[in-house]
Coordinates of all heavy atoms in Angstrom, one line a residue:
M6 N 5.3 20.5 13.1 CA 6.1 19.3 13.0 C 7.0 19.1 14.3 O 7.1 18.0 14.8 CB 7.0 19.3 11.8 CG 7.7 18.0 11.6 SD 8.3 17.9 9.9 CE 10.0 17.5 10.2
D7 N 7.5 20.2 14.8 CA 8.4 20.1 16.0 C 7.6 19.6 17.2 O 8.2 18.9 18.0 CB 9.0 21.5 16.3 CG 10.0 21.9 15.3 OD1 10.6 21.0 14.6 OD2 10.3 23.1 15.2
S8 N 6.4 20.0 17.3 CA 5.6 19.5 18.5 C 5.4 18.0 18.4 O 5.3 17.3 19.4 CB 4.2 20.2 18.5 OG 3.5 19.9 17.4
V9 N 5.3 17.4 17.2 CA 5.2 15.9 17.1 C 6.5 15.3 17.3 O 6.7 14.3 18.0 CB 4.6 15.6 15.7 CG1 4.6 14.1 15.6 CG2 3.2 16.2 15.6
T10 N 7.6 15.8 16.7 CA 8.9 15.1 16.7 C 9.5 15.3 18.1 O 10.5 14.6 18.4 CB 9.8 15.7 15.6 OG1 10.0 17.1 15.8 CG2 9.3 15.4 14.3
S11 N 9.0 16.1 18.9 CA 9.7 16.3 20.2 C 9.6 15.1 21.1 O 10.4 14.8 22.0 CB 9.1 17.5 21.0 OG 7.7 17.3 21.3
F12 N 8.6 14.2 20.9 CA 8.4 13.0 21.7 C 9.1 11.8 21.1 O 9.2 10.7 21.6 CB 6.9 12.7 21.9 CG 6.2 12.2 20.7 CD1 6.1 10.8 20.4 CD2 5.6 13.1 19.9 CE1 5.4 10.4 19.3 CE2 4.8 12.7 18.8 CZ 4.8 11.3 18.5
V13 N 9.8 12.0 19.9 CA 10.6 10.9 19.3 C 12.0 11.5 19.0 O 12.4 11.4 17.9 CB 9.9 10.3 18.1 CG1 8.8 9.4 18.5 CG2 9.4 11.3 17.1
P14 N 12.7 12.1 20.0 CA 14.0 12.7 19.7 C 14.9 11.7 19.0 O 15.1 10.6 19.5 CB 14.4 13.2 21.0 CG 13.7 12.3 22.0 CD 12.4 11.9 21.4
G15 N 15.6 12.2 18.0 CA 16.6 11.5 17.3 C 16.1 10.3 16.4 O 16.9 9.7 15.7
K16 N 14.9 9.9 16.6 CA 14.4 8.8 15.8 C 13.8 9.2 14.5 O 13.9 8.5 13.5 CB 13.3 8.0 16.7 CG 13.9 7.4 17.9 CD 12.8 6.7 18.7 CE 13.4 6.1 20.0 NZ 12.5 5.3 20.7
I17 N 13.1 10.3 14.4 CA 12.4 10.7 13.2 C 13.5 11.1 12.1 O 13.2 11.0 10.9 CB 11.5 11.9 13.5 CG1 10.4 12.0 12.4 CG2 12.2 13.2 13.6 CD1 9.4 10.9 12.5
E18 N 14.7 11.6 12.6 CA 15.7 12.0 11.6 C 16.3 10.8 10.8 O 16.8 11.0 9.7 CB 16.9 12.7 12.3 CG 16.5 14.1 12.8 CD 15.9 14.0 14.2 OE1 15.9 12.9 14.8 OE2 15.3 15.1 14.6
C19 N 16.2 9.6 11.3 CA 16.8 8.5 10.6 C 15.8 7.8 9.7 O 16.1 6.7 9.1 CB 17.4 7.5 11.5 SG 16.3 6.9 12.8
I20 N 14.7 8.4 9.4 CA 13.6 7.9 8.6 C 13.7 8.6 7.2 O 13.8 9.9 7.2 CB 12.2 8.0 9.2 CG1 12.2 7.2 10.5 CG2 11.2 7.5 8.2 CD1 10.9 7.4 11.2
A21 N 13.5 8.0 6.1 CA 13.5 8.6 4.8 C 12.4 9.7 4.7 O 11.4 9.5 5.3 CB 13.3 7.6 3.7
S22 N 12.6 10.7 4.0 CA 11.7 11.9 3.9 C 10.3 11.5 3.6 O 9.4 12.0 4.2 CB 12.3 13.0 3.0 OG 12.4 12.5 1.7
G23 N 10.1 10.7 2.6 CA 8.7 10.2 2.2 C 8.1 9.5 3.3 O 6.9 9.6 3.5
T24 N 8.8 8.6 3.9 CA 8.3 7.9 5.0 C 8.0 8.7 6.2 O 7.1 8.4 7.0 CB 9.3 6.7 5.4 OG1 9.6 6.0 4.2 CG2 8.7 5.7 6.4
T25 N 8.7 9.8 6.4 CA 8.5 10.7 7.5 C 7.1 11.3 7.5 O 6.4 11.4 8.5 CB 9.5 11.9 7.5 OG1 10.8 11.3 7.6 CG2 9.3 12.8 8.7
K26 N 6.6 11.6 6.3 CA 5.2 12.1 6.2 C 4.2 11.1 6.7 O 3.3 11.5 7.4 CB 4.9 12.3 4.7 CG 5.5 13.5 4.1 CD 5.3 13.6 2.6 CE 3.9 14.0 2.3 NZ 3.6 14.2 0.8
I27 N 4.5 9.8 6.5 CA 3.5 8.8 7.0 C 3.6 8.7 8.5 O 2.6 8.7 9.2 CB 3.9 7.4 6.3 CG1 3.6 7.5 4.8 CG2 3.1 6.3 6.9 CD1 4.1 6.3 4.0
V28 N 4.8 8.7 9.0 CA 5.0 8.5 10.5 C 4.4 9.7 11.2 O 3.7 9.5 12.2 CB 6.5 8.3 10.8 CG1 6.7 8.4 12.3 CG2 7.0 7.0 10.2
L29 N 4.7 10.9 10.7 CA 4.1 12.1 11.3 C 2.6 12.1 11.3 O 1.9 12.5 12.2 CB 4.7 13.4 10.7 CG 6.2 13.6 11.0 CD1 6.6 14.8 10.2 CD2 6.4 13.8 12.5
Q30 N 2.0 11.7 10.2 CA 0.6 11.6 10.1 C 0.0 10.6 11.0 O -1.0 10.9 11.7 CB 0.1 11.3 8.6 CG -1.4 11.5 8.4 CD -1.8 13.0 8.7 OE1 -1.2 13.9 8.3 NE2 -2.9 13.1 9.4
M31 N 0.7 9.5 11.2 CA 0.2 8.5 12.1 C 0.3 9.1 13.6 O -0.6 8.8 14.4 CB 1.0 7.2 12.0 CG 0.8 6.5 10.7 SD 1.9 5.1 10.5 CE 1.0 3.9 11.5
A32 N 1.3 9.9 13.8 CA 1.4 10.5 15.2 C 0.2 11.5 15.4 O -0.3 11.6 16.5 CB 2.7 11.2 15.3
F33 N -0.1 12.2 14.4 CA -1.2 13.2 14.5 C -2.5 12.5 14.7 O -3.4 12.9 15.5 CB -1.3 14.1 13.2 CG -0.3 15.2 13.2 CD1 0.5 15.3 12.1 CD2 -0.2 16.1 14.2 CE1 1.5 16.3 12.0 CE2 0.7 17.1 14.2 CZ 1.6 17.2 13.0
V34 N -2.8 11.4 13.9 CA -4.1 10.7 14.0 C -4.2 9.9 15.4 O -5.2 9.8 16.0 CB -4.2 9.7 12.8 CG1 -5.4 8.8 13.0 CG2 -4.2 10.5 11.5
W35 N -3.1 9.3 15.7 CA -2.9 8.5 17.0 C -3.8 7.2 17.0 O -3.8 6.5 18.0 CB -3.2 9.4 18.2 CG -2.6 8.9 19.5 CD1 -3.3 8.3 20.5 CD2 -1.2 8.8 19.8 NE1 -2.4 7.9 21.4 CE2 -1.1 8.2 21.1 CE3 -0.1 9.2 19.1 CZ2 0.1 8.0 21.7 CZ3 1.2 9.0 19.8 CH2 1.2 8.5 21.1
E36 N -4.4 6.9 16.0 CA -5.2 5.7 15.9 C -4.6 4.8 14.8 O -4.0 5.3 13.9 CB -6.7 6.0 15.6 CG -7.4 6.8 16.6 CD -7.8 6.1 17.8 OE1 -8.0 4.8 17.7 OE2 -7.8 6.7 18.9
A37 N -4.9 3.6 14.9 CA -4.6 2.6 13.8 C -5.2 3.1 12.5 O -6.4 3.5 12.5 CB -4.9 1.2 14.1
A38 N -4.5 3.1 11.4 CA -5.0 3.6 10.1 C -4.5 2.6 9.0 O -3.5 2.0 9.1 CB -4.5 5.0 9.8
G39 N -5.3 2.6 7.9 CA -5.0 1.8 6.8 C -4.2 2.6 5.8 O -4.1 3.8 5.9
A40 N -3.6 1.9 4.9 CA -2.8 2.5 3.8 C -3.6 3.5 3.0 O -3.1 4.6 2.7 CB -2.1 1.4 2.9
G41 N -4.8 3.2 2.7 CA -5.6 4.0 1.9 C -5.9 5.4 2.6 O -5.9 6.4 2.0
D42 N -6.2 5.3 3.9 CA -6.5 6.5 4.7 C -5.2 7.4 4.7 O -5.3 8.6 4.6 CB -6.9 6.2 6.1 CG -8.2 5.4 6.1 OD1 -9.1 5.6 5.3 OD2 -8.4 4.5 7.0
L43 N -4.1 6.7 5.0 CA -2.9 7.5 5.0 C -2.5 8.1 3.7 O -1.9 9.2 3.6 CB -1.7 6.6 5.6 CG -1.9 6.2 7.0 CD1 -0.9 5.1 7.5 CD2 -1.7 7.4 8.0
A44 N -2.8 7.3 2.6 CA -2.5 7.9 1.3 C -3.2 9.1 1.0 O -2.7 10.1 0.4 CB -2.8 6.8 0.2
V45 N -4.5 9.2 1.4 CA -5.3 10.4 1.2 C -4.7 11.6 1.9 O -4.5 12.7 1.3 CB -6.8 10.1 1.6 CG1 -7.6 11.4 1.6 CG2 -7.4 9.1 0.7
V46 N -4.4 11.4 3.2 CA -4.0 12.6 4.0 C -2.5 13.0 3.7 O -2.2 14.2 3.9 CB -4.2 12.4 5.5 CG1 -5.6 12.3 5.8 CG2 -3.4 11.2 6.0
T47 N -1.7 12.1 3.2 CA -0.3 12.4 2.9 C -0.2 12.8 1.4 O 0.9 13.2 1.0 CB 0.6 11.2 3.2 OG1 0.2 10.1 2.4 CG2 0.7 10.9 4.6
K48 N -1.3 12.6 0.6 CA -1.3 12.9 -0.8 C -0.2 12.1 -1.5 O 0.5 12.6 -2.4 CB -1.1 14.4 -1.1 CG -2.2 15.3 -0.5 CD -2.0 16.7 -0.7 CE -3.2 17.6 -0.3 NZ -3.6 17.5 1.0
M49 N -0.1 10.9 -1.1 CA 0.8 9.9 -1.8 C 0.0 8.8 -2.4 O -1.2 8.6 -2.0 CB 1.8 9.3 -0.7 CG 2.7 10.4 -0.1 SD 3.6 9.8 1.3 CE 4.8 8.7 0.5
E50 N 0.6 8.1 -3.3 CA -0.1 6.9 -3.9 C -0.2 5.8 -2.9 O 0.6 5.6 -2.1 CB 0.7 6.4 -5.1 CG 0.8 7.4 -6.3 CD -0.5 7.6 -6.9 OE1 -1.3 6.7 -7.0 OE2 -0.7 8.8 -7.4
N51 N -1.4 5.1 -3.0 CA -1.7 4.1 -2.1 C -0.7 3.0 -2.1 O -0.2 2.4 -1.0 CB -3.1 3.5 -2.4 CG -3.7 2.6 -1.3 OD1 -3.0 2.3 -0.3 ND2 -4.9 2.1 -1.5
N52 N -0.2 2.6 -3.2 CA 0.8 1.5 -3.3 C 2.1 1.9 -2.7 O 2.8 1.0 -2.1 CB 1.0 0.9 -4.8 CG 1.4 2.0 -5.7 OD1 1.2 3.2 -5.5 ND2 2.0 1.6 -6.8
V53 N 2.4 3.1 -2.8 CA 3.7 3.7 -2.2 C 3.6 3.7 -0.7 O 4.5 3.2 0.0 CB 4.0 5.1 -2.7 CG1 5.2 5.7 -2.0 CG2 4.3 5.1 -4.2
V54 N 2.5 4.1 -0.2 CA 2.2 4.1 1.2 C 2.3 2.7 1.8 O 2.9 2.4 2.8 CB 0.9 4.8 1.6 CG1 0.6 4.7 3.1 CG2 1.0 6.3 1.3
S55 N 1.6 1.8 1.1 CA 1.5 0.4 1.5 C 2.9 -0.2 1.6 O 3.3 -0.9 2.6 CB 0.7 -0.4 0.6 OG 0.6 -1.7 0.9
A56 N 3.8 0.0 0.6 CA 5.1 -0.5 0.5 C 6.0 0.1 1.7 O 6.7 -0.6 2.4 CB 5.8 -0.2 -0.8
Q57 N 5.8 1.4 1.9 CA 6.6 2.0 3.0 C 6.1 1.6 4.4 O 6.9 1.4 5.3 CB 6.5 3.5 2.9 CG 7.3 4.0 1.7 CD 7.3 5.5 1.6 OE1 6.7 6.3 2.3 NE2 8.1 6.0 0.6
L58 N 4.8 1.3 4.5 CA 4.3 0.8 5.8 C 4.9 -0.6 6.1 O 5.2 -0.9 7.2 CB 2.8 0.7 5.8 CG 2.1 2.0 6.0 CD1 0.6 1.9 5.7 CD2 2.3 2.6 7.4
K59 N 5.0 -1.4 5.0 CA 5.7 -2.7 5.2 C 7.1 -2.6 5.7 O 7.6 -3.4 6.5 CB 5.6 -3.6 3.9 CG 4.1 -4.0 3.6 CD 4.1 -4.8 2.3 CE 2.6 -5.1 2.0 NZ 2.5 -5.7 0.6
Q60 N 7.8 -1.6 5.1 CA 9.2 -1.4 5.5 C 9.3 -1.0 6.9 O 10.1 -1.4 7.7 CB 9.9 -0.4 4.6 CG 10.2 -0.9 3.2 CD 10.8 0.2 2.3 OE1 10.9 1.4 2.7 NE2 11.3 -0.2 1.1
L61 N 8.4 0.0 7.3 CA 8.4 0.5 8.7 C 8.0 -0.6 9.6 O 8.6 -0.6 10.8 CB 7.3 1.7 8.8 CG 7.7 2.9 8.1 CD1 6.5 3.9 8.0 CD2 8.9 3.6 8.8
A62 N 7.2 -1.5 9.2 CA 6.8 -2.6 10.1 C 8.0 -3.5 10.3 O 8.3 -4.0 11.4 CB 5.6 -3.4 9.6
G63 N 8.8 -3.8 9.2 CA 9.9 -4.6 9.3 C 11.0 -4.0 10.2 O 11.8 -4.7 10.8
K64 N 11.1 -2.7 10.3 CA 12.0 -2.0 11.2 C 11.5 -1.8 12.6 O 12.2 -1.3 13.4 CB 12.4 -0.6 10.6 CG 13.1 -0.7 9.2 CD 13.4 0.7 8.7 CE 14.1 0.6 7.3 NZ 14.4 1.9 6.8
G65 N 10.3 -2.2 12.9 CA 9.7 -2.1 14.2 C 9.2 -0.7 14.5 O 8.9 -0.4 15.7
I66 N 9.1 0.2 13.5 CA 8.6 1.5 13.8 C 7.1 1.5 13.9 O 6.5 2.3 14.6 CB 9.1 2.5 12.6 CG1 10.7 2.6 12.7 CG2 8.5 3.9 12.8 CD1 11.3 3.3 11.6
V67 N 6.4 0.7 13.0 CA 5.0 0.6 13.1 C 4.6 -0.9 13.4 O 5.4 -1.8 13.1 CB 4.3 1.1 11.8 CG1 4.5 2.6 11.6 CG2 4.6 0.3 10.6
E68 N 3.4 -1.1 13.9 CA 2.9 -2.4 14.1 C 1.7 -2.6 13.1 O 0.9 -1.8 12.9 CB 2.3 -2.5 15.5 CG 3.3 -2.3 16.6 CD 2.7 -2.3 18.0 OE1 1.4 -2.2 18.1 OE2 3.4 -2.3 19.0
K69 N 1.8 -3.8 12.5 CA 0.7 -4.2 11.6 C -0.4 -5.0 12.4 O -0.1 -5.9 13.0 CB 1.3 -5.1 10.5 CG 0.4 -5.6 9.5 CD 1.1 -6.4 8.5 CE 0.2 -7.3 7.7 NZ 1.0 -8.1 6.7
L70 N -1.6 -4.5 12.2 CA -2.7 -5.1 12.9 C -3.5 -5.9 11.9 O -4.0 -5.3 10.9 CB -3.6 -4.1 13.6 CG -2.9 -3.1 14.5 CD1 -3.9 -2.1 15.0 CD2 -2.3 -3.9 15.7
D71 N -3.5 -7.2 12.0 CA -4.3 -8.1 11.1 C -5.8 -7.9 11.3 O -6.3 -7.9 12.3 CB -3.9 -9.5 11.3 CG -4.4 -10.4 10.2 OD1 -5.0 -9.9 9.2 OD2 -4.2 -11.7 10.3
T72 N -6.4 -7.6 10.2 CA -7.9 -7.4 10.2 C -8.7 -8.6 9.7 O -9.9 -8.5 9.7 CB -8.3 -6.2 9.3 OG1 -7.8 -6.4 8.0 CG2 -7.6 -4.9 9.8
G73 N -7.9 -9.6 9.3 CA -8.6 -10.8 8.8 C -8.9 -10.7 7.3 O -9.4 -11.6 6.7
G74 N -8.6 -9.6 6.7 CA -8.8 -9.3 5.3 C -7.6 -8.9 4.6 O -6.5 -9.0 5.1
R75 N -7.7 -8.2 3.4 CA -6.6 -7.7 2.7 C -6.0 -6.4 3.3 O -4.9 -6.2 3.2 CB -7.0 -7.5 1.2 CG -7.0 -8.7 0.4 CD -7.3 -8.4 -1.1 NE -6.4 -7.3 -1.5 CZ -6.6 -6.6 -2.6 NH1 -7.7 -6.8 -3.3 NH2 -5.8 -5.6 -3.0
N76 N -6.9 -5.6 3.7 CA -6.5 -4.3 4.2 C -6.2 -4.3 5.7 O -7.1 -4.4 6.5 CB -7.6 -3.2 3.9 CG -7.9 -3.1 2.4 OD1 -7.0 -3.2 1.6 ND2 -9.1 -3.0 2.1
H77 N -4.9 -4.1 6.0 CA -4.5 -4.2 7.4 C -4.4 -2.8 7.9 O -4.4 -1.8 7.2 CB -3.1 -4.8 7.5 CG -3.1 -6.2 7.0 ND1 -3.7 -7.3 7.5 CD2 -2.5 -6.7 5.9 CE1 -3.5 -8.4 6.9 NE2 -2.8 -8.0 5.8
L78 N -4.4 -2.7 9.2 CA -4.2 -1.4 9.9 C -2.9 -1.3 10.5 O -2.3 -2.3 10.9 CB -5.3 -1.2 11.0 CG -6.8 -1.2 10.6 CD1 -7.7 -1.2 11.8 CD2 -7.0 -0.1 9.6
Y79 N -2.4 -0.1 10.6 CA -1.0 0.1 11.1 C -1.1 1.2 12.2 O -1.9 2.1 12.1 CB -0.1 0.6 10.0 CG 0.1 -0.5 9.0 CD1 -0.8 -0.6 7.9 CD2 1.2 -1.3 9.0 CE1 -0.6 -1.5 6.9 CE2 1.4 -2.3 8.0 CZ 0.5 -2.4 7.0 OH 0.7 -3.4 6.0
R80 N -0.2 1.1 13.2 CA -0.1 2.1 14.2 C 1.4 2.2 14.7 O 2.1 1.3 14.5 CB -1.0 1.8 15.5 CG -0.5 0.6 16.2 CD -1.4 0.4 17.5 NE -1.0 -0.9 18.1 CZ -1.9 -1.6 18.7 NH1 -3.1 -1.3 18.9 NH2 -1.4 -2.8 19.2
L81 N 1.7 3.3 15.2 CA 3.1 3.5 15.7 C 3.4 2.5 16.8 O 2.6 2.3 17.6 CB 3.3 4.9 16.1 CG 3.3 6.0 15.0 CD1 3.5 7.4 15.7 CD2 4.4 5.8 14.0
S82 N 4.6 1.9 16.7 CA 5.1 1.0 17.7 C 5.3 1.7 19.0 O 5.9 2.8 19.0 CB 6.3 0.3 17.2 OG 7.0 -0.4 18.2
N83 N 5.0 1.1 20.1 CA 5.3 1.6 21.5 C 6.8 1.8 21.6 O 7.3 2.8 22.2 CB 4.8 0.7 22.6 CG 3.3 0.8 22.7 OD1 2.7 1.8 22.3 ND2 2.7 -0.2 23.2
D84 N 7.6 0.9 21.1 CA 9.1 1.0 21.2 C 9.6 2.2 20.4 O 10.5 2.9 20.9 CB 9.8 -0.2 20.6 CG 9.5 -1.5 21.4 OD1 9.2 -1.4 22.5 OD2 9.7 -2.6 20.8
F85 N 8.9 2.6 19.4 CA 9.3 3.8 18.6 C 9.0 5.1 19.4 O 9.7 6.0 19.4 CB 8.7 3.8 17.3 CG 9.0 5.1 16.4 CD1 10.3 5.2 15.9 CD2 8.1 6.1 16.2 CE1 10.6 6.3 15.1 CE2 8.5 7.2 15.5 CZ 9.7 7.3 14.9
L86 N 7.9 5.0 20.2 CA 7.4 6.2 20.9 C 8.1 6.4 22.2 O 8.1 7.6 22.8 CB 5.9 6.1 21.1 CG 5.1 6.0 19.9 CD1 3.6 5.8 20.3 CD2 5.2 7.3 19.1
I87 N 8.9 5.5 22.7 CA 9.5 5.6 24.0 C 10.7 6.5 23.8 O 11.6 6.4 22.9 CB 10.0 4.2 24.5 CG1 8.8 3.4 24.9 CG2 10.9 4.5 25.7 CD1 9.2 2.0 25.2
C88 N 10.8 7.6 24.6 CA 11.8 8.6 24.5 C 13.1 8.0 25.1 O 13.1 7.2 26.1 CB 11.5 9.8 25.3 SG 10.1 10.7 24.5
G89 N 14.3 8.4 24.6 CA 15.5 8.1 25.2 C 16.3 7.1 24.4 O 16.1 6.7 23.4

């Protein structure tokens, strides 16, 4: 975890613990991912992951990528990844 959080100093600490799992997994994957994929790897319920992704998108931590359907993809925001 320290190797991942080292590029987001001070930012990961202000995220709720359940949401931290999602953010860290997104950092490991480094590709846009759907709520279902993230739910599997974080061992969380799909609806919980989806709700947290919406909150993270509202805070600018993740970007929501419209797929033209119901299932959107999410990736970490560049603003979140910038150190400093």
